[in-house]
Amino acid sequence: MFEVAGLDHIYIAVSDLRRSELFYDRAMTTLGFHKNSFTLKGDPHIQYFNRHFGYVLRPARTARKHDNYAPGVHHLCLRVNSIDDVINAAKALKEAGVDAHPAKHFPEYAPDYWATFFSDPDGLRLEITNYRQERRERHDNWDKLLEREEPKTIEKG
């Protein structure tokens, strides 16, 4: 059996590659990402990457503002290790000229849920949250969690 271990890359289609590059240069380099660029099938691409995954910008084929409630991606959430990291990321983004909301506690999501939010030039919402206890326990105790799961019945129709 195999297991999906994480995201490899995310492709974001943007309405204005230069405008988005300026925004993501501030945001992603502040968050510790590196940058490169390449051309694929004649289209310029800009990639921001860290040791975990790549975040790639490519030109959109149609231009319209992102609608968080249309079919497709609602928002993207990046995770940092601690609540302090969320607070520091929000401050660093703000200092870099990114309109990030101050880090805030959201106990309605989870007792230890902290986050900051900001949007890219096309309106795609981005979030940074902390590595919460529930996520740590899920990761660290995965095999035990699977052992406790109730057997699933699949109905064929």
Side-chain angles (χ1 to χ4, degrees):
M1 189 62 182
F2 63 89
E3 176 184 24
V4 175
L7 293 173
D8 184 77
H9 62 274
I10 300 166
Y11 263 63
I12 304 297
V14 298
S15 64
D16 182 328
L17 188 61
R18 182 69 185 136
R19 179 182 68 168
S20 291
E21 180 180 16
L22 292 172
F23 170 81
Y24 280 105
D25 278 356
R26 289 190 310 272
M28 298 306 257
T29 57
T30 298
L31 298 174
F33 283 73
H34 300 273
K35 177 184 173 184
N36 67 16
S37 59
F38 58 94
T39 301
L40 186 61
K41 296 185 179 178
D43 288 328
H45 289 61
I46 299 164
Q47 177 179 230
Y48 300 90
F49 62 95
N50 65 15
R51 67 181 171 156
H52 300 288
F53 69 95
Y55 190 95
V56 184
L57 308 180
R58 61 154 297 120
R61 296 206 171 131
T62 59
R64 65 176 182 263
K65 190 168 176 75
H66 182 77
D67 179 351
N68 295 329
Y69 293 97
V73 174
H74 179 270
H75 72 280
L76 296 173
C77 183
L78 306 173
R79 183 172 66 203
V80 294
N81 283 322
S82 68
I83 292 169
D84 285 343
D85 288 344
V86 176
I87 293 167
N88 292 330
K91 287 178 184 175
L93 287 166
K94 197 72 160 169
E95 289 170 5
V98 175
D99 190 20
H101 295 254
K104 182 180 169 189
H105 183 212
F106 292 91
E108 63 272 27
Y109 299 151
D112 58 343
Y113 198 111
W114 279 73
T116 180
F117 298 89
F118 56 103
S119 295
D120 83 354
D122 288 308
L124 176 61
R125 276 180 28 141
L126 294 129
E127 174 184 0
I128 299 173
T129 191
N130 56 301
Y131 194 14
R132 297 178 306 285
Q133 186 62 35
E134 179 268 335
R135 297 287 199 262
R136 289 177 192 273
E137 289 174 7
R138 181 189 305 160
H139 176 270
D140 296 346
N141 300 306
W142 184 249
D143 291 336
K144 291 177 188 170
L145 291 170
L146 292 179
E147 290 171 5
R148 290 192 304 228
E149 275 188 4
E150 293 290 320
K152 292 185 173 76
T153 303
I154 300 173
E155 293 184 29
K156 295 186 178 183

